[in-house]
Amino acid sequence: MNTVSRIWIAAVAATALSPFAAQAQDTSLTYLTHWSPDTVALLEQAAGDYAAAHPGVKVTVRAVPFGDLLTTIRSGGTDGPTIASIYDLWLPALVKDGLVAPAPETVAGEVTTNWPAGIAAAASVNGQVYGIPNEINVYALNYNKKLFAEAGIAAPPKTWDELKDAAAKLTDASAGRQGFGMINSWAAGVVHPFSSLLVSNGGQLIADGKPQLDSKQALETFELYETMIKEGYSVAAMGTADANTTGPFLDNFVSGKTGMIIMANWWESALKGGMGDAFADIGTAPIPVGPSGDTARSISYSWQTVVNAGADAAHQQAAWDFLVWLNGPTSGKNGASAMADILQSMGILPSRTSDVEAYKDALGRPFLEGYVSTLANAQGFPIVLGGQEFSEALQQVIEQLQYGQVSAAEAQTNAQADAASILERAAQ
């Protein structure tokens, strides 16, 4: 047994034997998430297993649509759920507003020891850990191999020129098919694919706290979108998302009406559910490299669970105890955490180092090839104050471009101006 494993097991044992754990009676915790009913059922099962071993502690799971998650956390304030699942981009503002509690020193040590540095950093503000990371998502080009074969396309595109050529061959307006799908009506679904193309073109969103959307690389990315739209390779009306991050953008890819789309690894389960045996037709590949880029890259982002700063000390301790167990190697199957087991049921990449090792065989399955191959070159979406507003403003500009309301040059100017104003105001 290695040193890290001994430290973790010792920490869990100490938690189990702590005075609080011994005295815990009728302690009710609430856990807020945006997961689907099937996944919520798995979390409830894990919570039940924990309660069986910790009499007097009960964890109740509540789910809301993704589009309502942040609002629900904020509207509940310090009287809200004890535990909440959050997108890493939200953390700085929630910390600033005093809504999430800092992790105890022992929990913070476990996070910095057992998660990759970049992921642990996304759960921290000013060096203080506030959450336990769970999932990591990156982006890849998803494509329909059957449609590729019918169009005479031998391999997924590696460059933007090849991407445009493939989109042209796949597009068939008479059949209602677009070659390349874009997403709208959902901030991350709009911004992350665009940003993945941007970093694959050698650009950045933010550097040293300043927006970089006025760069040559950014203009080329806006121009790529403009070309796809003007040529009819991408149809905005086919890309709408709903509050549950499903909708026409998913339906059109599932039904073969979209030849290619850039999406995150977590939607594997949605594709399987919608396509059945036809899921075998889906391939993944790294993001095509732009004219100013040198290698395929992707934007990455992570999720974490945090504890409500308004909960009393006993409930905070109980919440951290549960989260340590849920994300620890003794709670799941074959050395994985219960959280990793839940994530894998959705096709999501776990982020804890021991979970990645426990699931190494499963992570080698064909669908994940395009994702795993880009992990080493992934760039984290900037975690800064004002980050959510920045993302939503960029979403609006990209959607205006998708619907032909602005040119690529206008989109670039507007996006840079919006970002500069937002980040400057947030820093005050």
Side-chain angles (χ1 to χ4, degrees):
M1 181 181 296
N2 62 34
T3 300
V4 171
S5 298
R6 286 196 295 270
I7 291 172
W8 178 264
I9 291 172
V12 172
T15 296
L17 297 174
S18 69
F20 172 79
Q23 299 171 9
Q25 294 295 324
D26 301 322
T27 303
S28 296
L29 307 175
T30 51
Y31 190 129
L32 181 68
T33 182
H34 66 293
W35 285 339
S36 68
D38 288 347
T39 310
V40 166
L42 295 176
L43 179 57
E44 289 174 334
Q45 179 179 335
D49 292 341
Y50 181 80
H54 298 77
V57 179
K58 179 181 180 182
V59 182
T60 301
V61 182
R62 178 189 174 195
V64 297
F66 170 80
D68 297 334
L69 184 58
L70 180 58
T71 302
T72 303
I73 293 169
R74 285 197 166 281
S75 63
T78 54
D79 293 324
T82 326
I83 300 168
S85 178
I86 70 164
Y87 172 35
D88 58 9
L89 187 62
W90 302 340
L91 183 62
L94 292 175
V95 169
K96 181 181 179 182
D97 294 340
L99 294 176
V100 296
E105 185 176 345
T106 54
V107 177
E110 295 301 336
V111 170
T112 56
T113 299
N114 292 293
W115 273 264
I119 295 173
S124 308
V125 175
N126 296 326
Q128 170 65 58
V129 173
Y130 284 88
I132 297 185
N134 41 58
E135 67 181 86
I136 182 170
N137 291 280
V138 291
Y139 284 79
L141 183 73
N142 285 224
Y143 64 98
N144 190 308
K145 293 184 284 187
K146 181 179 179 181
L147 295 179
F148 266 51
E150 292 173 354
I153 305 170
K158 295 182 179 180
T159 67
W160 286 10
D161 283 342
E162 292 178 1
L163 178 67
K164 288 182 283 189
D165 181 64
K169 292 176 179 176
L170 291 165
T171 298
D172 185 346
S174 65
R177 186 171 70 232
Q178 61 178 349
F180 180 74
M182 297 180 188
I183 303 171
N184 59 70
S185 307
W186 165 30
V190 175
V191 173
H192 288 174
F194 174 90
S195 303
S196 293
L197 286 164
L198 172 61
V199 296
S200 281
N201 193 36
Q204 295 185 67
L205 289 166
I206 298 173
D208 299 323
K210 304 294 183 183
Q212 305 295 306
L213 292 167
D214 57 353
S215 67
K216 171 189 175 185
Q217 293 92 335
L219 177 59
E220 289 170 340
T221 311
F222 284 116
E223 288 174 340
L224 173 66
Y225 269 46
E226 186 176 49
T227 297
M228 292 289 193
I229 293 152
K230 284 187 172 180
E231 296 297 330
Y233 306 155
S234 187
V235 180
M238 298 177 69
T240 306
D242 60 26
N244 290 310
T245 62
T246 55
F249 85 93
L250 168 64
D251 299 338
N252 283 311
F253 189 74
V254 164
S255 65
K257 297 295 185 181
T258 298
M260 300 179 288
I261 193 169
I262 293 173
M263 255 300 285
N265 46 273
W266 61 259
W267 83 329
E268 180 182 17
S269 59
L271 293 182
K272 286 181 176 178
M275 300 184 75
D277 292 343
F279 174 74
D281 292 332
I282 303 305
T284 60
I287 306 295
V289 180
S292 297
D294 57 6
T295 192
R297 301 184 187 279
S298 169
I299 283 291
S300 67
Y301 68 93
S302 57
W303 280 74
Q304 58 194 277
T305 38
V306 295
V307 173
N308 192 330
D312 62 34
H315 282 79
Q316 284 192 29
Q317 182 62 58
W320 288 117
D321 288 349
F322 171 66
L323 290 176
V324 164
W325 175 87
L326 182 69
N327 293 276
T330 62
S331 59
K333 302 172 183 176
N334 302 317
S337 69
M339 176 60 76
D341 293 341
I342 294 169
L343 297 177
Q344 273 293 288
S345 77
M346 297 183 282
I348 293 175
L349 301 174
S351 59
R352 183 186 167 94
T353 304
S354 58
D355 286 336
V356 173
E357 177 63 23
Y359 271 103
K360 63 181 180 181
D361 291 339
L363 296 178
R365 62 187 181 273
F367 180 82
L368 291 181
E369 288 177 346
Y371 295 99
V372 173
S373 66
T374 198
L375 275 172
N377 292 320
Q379 292 187 13
F381 195 89
I383 308 300
V384 295
L385 275 173
Q388 180 67 18
E389 188 180 356
F390 164 83
S391 182
E392 290 171 353
L394 182 54
Q395 171 197 358
Q396 293 176 12
V397 171
I398 295 171
E399 287 180 349
Q400 290 169 354
L401 182 59
Q402 288 178 356
Y403 282 97
Q405 297 168 350
V406 295
S407 67
E410 290 169 334
Q412 179 183 37
T413 298
N414 295 344
Q416 177 69 12
D418 289 344
S421 175
I422 289 166
L423 297 182
E424 182 178 353
R425 186 169 63 250
Q428 294 176 350

